[in-house]
Amino acid sequence: MSDRGIPEVDLFGDPVVPREEGRGRPEHQWSRENSNKVLIAFAMRRSVKEAATAIGVSVPTLRKHYFAEVAKRDAAELRMEMTQLARLNRSAESGNVAAEKELIKRLEKARLRALSQTVASPEPAAQSQQPRPRKGKKEAAIEAAAQVDGIYAPPRPPSRLVN
C-alpha cells in the first residue's frame, strides 16, 4: 500500500505483493479479474498457454487455480456472444434505441451466417441417396486393367472358329 492507502499496482494492473520472509514464491491467488481475463482469452479462441501468459502464471498454475474456466473453454466463445446479446436485449427492452439497432444488426448477421452455411453445404436430397459401395483395391485394379487400350491393351482372345 502506498502512503494514501491505495494498493500499489504494476503496469498491467496486477497488485504488487511485497516480498515476505521465507523461502519460495508465494502461491498464486484466484481473483475475479484474472478469471475474467482467462474467460475472455478463451472466448477469443486463445490457447491455455496464451491465457496463462495473459495473467502471468504457468500453465500448471492456471489449470490448478482456474480449472472451472479451463473446463468452459470450448463453450466460452458462444457463452460470451450470448451474454452480450442478453445485455443488448435488456438495454433494448428498457428503451435504448441504439441497443435495439445493434441487436437487430447482430441477429441479421447471425441469420446471414446460417444461410451461408446452408447454401455451402450439400442438399439434403443428395445426401439421402444411397452411396455406391466402395470397391476394394483389387477390384479397382482389375477394372482399371480391363479398360486399358492402345498399345498396352491386352490382346484379344483367339476366336473359336476353326477354318
mmCIF file of all heavy atoms in Angstrom, residues 133-151:
data_model
loop_
_atom_site.group_PDB
_atom_site.id
_atom_site.type_symbol
_atom_site.label_atom_id
_atom_site.label_comp_id
_atom_site.label_asym_id
_atom_site.label_seq_id
_atom_site.Cartn_x
_atom_site.Cartn_y
_atom_site.Cartn_z
ATOM 1 N N PRO A 133 -21.409 -48.603 -53.027
ATOM 2 C CA PRO A 133 -20.400 -49.247 -52.186
ATOM 3 C C PRO A 133 -19.015 -49.071 -52.802
ATOM 4 O O PRO A 133 -18.855 -49.152 -54.023
ATOM 5 C CB PRO A 133 -20.812 -50.721 -52.166
ATOM 6 C CG PRO A 133 -21.751 -50.894 -53.299
ATOM 7 C CD PRO A 133 -22.342 -49.554 -53.593
ATOM 8 N N ARG A 134 -18.052 -48.840 -51.972
ATOM 9 C CA ARG A 134 -16.694 -48.625 -52.456
ATOM 10 C C ARG A 134 -16.079 -49.952 -52.859
ATOM 11 O O ARG A 134 -16.315 -50.979 -52.241
ATOM 12 C CB ARG A 134 -15.863 -47.972 -51.364
ATOM 13 C CG ARG A 134 -16.349 -46.562 -51.058
ATOM 14 C CD ARG A 134 -15.487 -45.898 -50.051
ATOM 15 N NE ARG A 134 -14.119 -45.790 -50.564
ATOM 16 C CZ ARG A 134 -13.089 -45.381 -49.877
ATOM 17 N NH1 ARG A 134 -13.246 -45.038 -48.630
ATOM 18 N NH2 ARG A 134 -11.892 -45.312 -50.402
ATOM 19 N N LYS A 135 -15.258 -49.873 -53.883
ATOM 20 C CA LYS A 135 -14.575 -51.072 -54.347
ATOM 21 C C LYS A 135 -13.263 -51.207 -53.593
ATOM 22 O O LYS A 135 -12.645 -50.226 -53.200
ATOM 23 C CB LYS A 135 -14.278 -50.970 -55.847
ATOM 24 C CG LYS A 135 -15.522 -50.956 -56.688
ATOM 25 C CD LYS A 135 -15.177 -50.862 -58.145
ATOM 26 C CE LYS A 135 -16.460 -50.785 -58.948
ATOM 27 N NZ LYS A 135 -16.205 -50.520 -60.338
ATOM 28 N N GLY A 136 -12.840 -52.445 -53.456
ATOM 29 C CA GLY A 136 -11.563 -52.706 -52.820
ATOM 30 C C GLY A 136 -10.430 -52.431 -53.788
ATOM 31 O O GLY A 136 -10.629 -52.146 -54.981
ATOM 32 N N LYS A 137 -9.211 -52.550 -53.303
ATOM 33 C CA LYS A 137 -8.030 -52.285 -54.120
ATOM 34 C C LYS A 137 -7.952 -53.222 -55.319
ATOM 35 O O LYS A 137 -7.707 -52.806 -56.444
ATOM 36 C CB LYS A 137 -6.760 -52.501 -53.284
ATOM 37 C CG LYS A 137 -6.244 -51.341 -52.558
ATOM 38 C CD LYS A 137 -4.986 -51.811 -51.851
ATOM 39 C CE LYS A 137 -4.133 -50.661 -51.420
ATOM 40 N NZ LYS A 137 -2.958 -51.106 -50.692
ATOM 41 N N LYS A 138 -8.150 -54.489 -55.053
ATOM 42 C CA LYS A 138 -8.003 -55.484 -56.129
ATOM 43 C C LYS A 138 -9.084 -55.315 -57.191
ATOM 44 O O LYS A 138 -8.803 -55.379 -58.384
ATOM 45 C CB LYS A 138 -8.029 -56.892 -55.542
ATOM 46 C CG LYS A 138 -6.815 -57.198 -54.687
ATOM 47 C CD LYS A 138 -6.889 -58.580 -54.109
ATOM 48 C CE LYS A 138 -5.705 -58.843 -53.190
ATOM 49 N NZ LYS A 138 -5.792 -60.161 -52.569
ATOM 50 N N GLU A 139 -10.318 -55.101 -56.759
ATOM 51 C CA GLU A 139 -11.410 -54.904 -57.719
ATOM 52 C C GLU A 139 -11.157 -53.683 -58.585
ATOM 53 O O GLU A 139 -11.373 -53.709 -59.799
ATOM 54 C CB GLU A 139 -12.742 -54.744 -56.983
ATOM 55 C CG GLU A 139 -13.223 -55.997 -56.299
ATOM 56 C CD GLU A 139 -14.440 -55.749 -55.441
ATOM 57 O OE1 GLU A 139 -14.602 -54.600 -54.955
ATOM 58 O OE2 GLU A 139 -15.215 -56.687 -55.245
ATOM 59 N N ALA A 140 -10.686 -52.587 -57.966
ATOM 60 C CA ALA A 140 -10.399 -51.373 -58.724
ATOM 61 C C ALA A 140 -9.252 -51.601 -59.702
ATOM 62 O O ALA A 140 -9.288 -51.117 -60.837
ATOM 63 C CB ALA A 140 -10.062 -50.230 -57.772
ATOM 64 N N ALA A 141 -8.224 -52.363 -59.298
ATOM 65 C CA ALA A 141 -7.085 -52.631 -60.183
ATOM 66 C C ALA A 141 -7.505 -53.493 -61.371
ATOM 67 O O ALA A 141 -7.092 -53.241 -62.512
ATOM 68 C CB ALA A 141 -5.969 -53.308 -59.406
ATOM 69 N N ILE A 142 -8.341 -54.507 -61.129
ATOM 70 C CA ILE A 142 -8.813 -55.376 -62.227
ATOM 71 C C ILE A 142 -9.651 -54.577 -63.204
ATOM 72 O O ILE A 142 -9.505 -54.697 -64.429
ATOM 73 C CB ILE A 142 -9.602 -56.577 -61.654
ATOM 74 C CG1 ILE A 142 -8.644 -57.509 -60.900
ATOM 75 C CG2 ILE A 142 -10.354 -57.308 -62.740
ATOM 76 C CD1 ILE A 142 -9.337 -58.589 -60.092
ATOM 77 N N GLU A 143 -10.533 -53.719 -62.674
ATOM 78 C CA GLU A 143 -11.379 -52.887 -63.546
ATOM 79 C C GLU A 143 -10.536 -51.913 -64.365
ATOM 80 O O GLU A 143 -10.770 -51.712 -65.557
ATOM 81 C CB GLU A 143 -12.395 -52.123 -62.700
ATOM 82 C CG GLU A 143 -13.406 -51.362 -63.529
ATOM 83 C CD GLU A 143 -14.428 -50.676 -62.649
ATOM 84 O OE1 GLU A 143 -15.160 -51.373 -61.944
ATOM 85 O OE2 GLU A 143 -14.455 -49.422 -62.695
ATOM 86 N N ALA A 144 -9.536 -51.306 -63.742
ATOM 87 C CA ALA A 144 -8.663 -50.366 -64.452
ATOM 88 C C ALA A 144 -7.852 -51.084 -65.522
ATOM 89 O O ALA A 144 -7.645 -50.557 -66.625
ATOM 90 C CB ALA A 144 -7.746 -49.666 -63.472
ATOM 91 N N ALA A 145 -7.411 -52.312 -65.239
ATOM 92 C CA ALA A 145 -6.628 -53.074 -66.221
ATOM 93 C C ALA A 145 -7.480 -53.468 -67.422
ATOM 94 O O ALA A 145 -6.985 -53.536 -68.549
ATOM 95 C CB ALA A 145 -6.042 -54.308 -65.567
ATOM 96 N N ALA A 146 -8.764 -53.710 -67.186
ATOM 97 C CA ALA A 146 -9.650 -54.102 -68.287
ATOM 98 C C ALA A 146 -9.950 -52.922 -69.214
ATOM 99 O O ALA A 146 -10.318 -53.117 -70.367
ATOM 100 C CB ALA A 146 -10.944 -54.681 -67.742
ATOM 101 N N GLN A 147 -9.782 -51.710 -68.744
ATOM 102 C CA GLN A 147 -10.119 -50.539 -69.547
ATOM 103 C C GLN A 147 -8.927 -49.960 -70.294
ATOM 104 O O GLN A 147 -9.056 -48.947 -70.960
ATOM 105 C CB GLN A 147 -10.730 -49.467 -68.653
ATOM 106 C CG GLN A 147 -12.070 -49.882 -68.074
ATOM 107 C CD GLN A 147 -12.620 -48.859 -67.119
ATOM 108 O OE1 GLN A 147 -11.990 -47.855 -66.845
ATOM 109 N NE2 GLN A 147 -13.816 -49.124 -66.615
ATOM 110 N N VAL A 148 -7.780 -50.580 -70.171
ATOM 111 C CA VAL A 148 -6.596 -50.093 -70.865
ATOM 112 C C VAL A 148 -6.763 -50.333 -72.355
ATOM 113 O O VAL A 148 -7.217 -51.395 -72.785
ATOM 114 C CB VAL A 148 -5.329 -50.812 -70.330
ATOM 115 C CG1 VAL A 148 -4.112 -50.442 -71.145
ATOM 116 C CG2 VAL A 148 -5.120 -50.479 -68.886
ATOM 117 N N ASP A 149 -6.399 -49.330 -73.152
ATOM 118 C CA ASP A 149 -6.475 -49.503 -74.599
ATOM 119 C C ASP A 149 -5.208 -48.960 -75.240
ATOM 120 O O ASP A 149 -4.343 -48.432 -74.562
ATOM 121 C CB ASP A 149 -7.723 -48.825 -75.181
ATOM 122 C CG ASP A 149 -7.760 -47.346 -74.883
ATOM 123 O OD1 ASP A 149 -6.937 -46.882 -74.086
ATOM 124 O OD2 ASP A 149 -8.614 -46.648 -75.459
ATOM 125 N N GLY A 150 -5.100 -49.136 -76.516
ATOM 126 C CA GLY A 150 -3.914 -48.655 -77.217
ATOM 127 C C GLY A 150 -2.847 -49.733 -77.251
ATOM 128 O O GLY A 150 -3.132 -50.946 -77.272
ATOM 129 N N ILE A 151 -1.623 -49.315 -77.239
ATOM 130 C CA ILE A 151 -0.511 -50.246 -77.369
ATOM 131 C C ILE A 151 -0.395 -51.193 -76.173
ATOM 132 O O ILE A 151 0.083 -52.313 -76.290
ATOM 133 C CB ILE A 151 0.808 -49.466 -77.586
ATOM 134 C CG1 ILE A 151 1.925 -50.414 -77.982
ATOM 135 C CG2 ILE A 151 1.185 -48.695 -76.352
ATOM 136 C CD1 ILE A 151 3.200 -49.726 -78.427
#
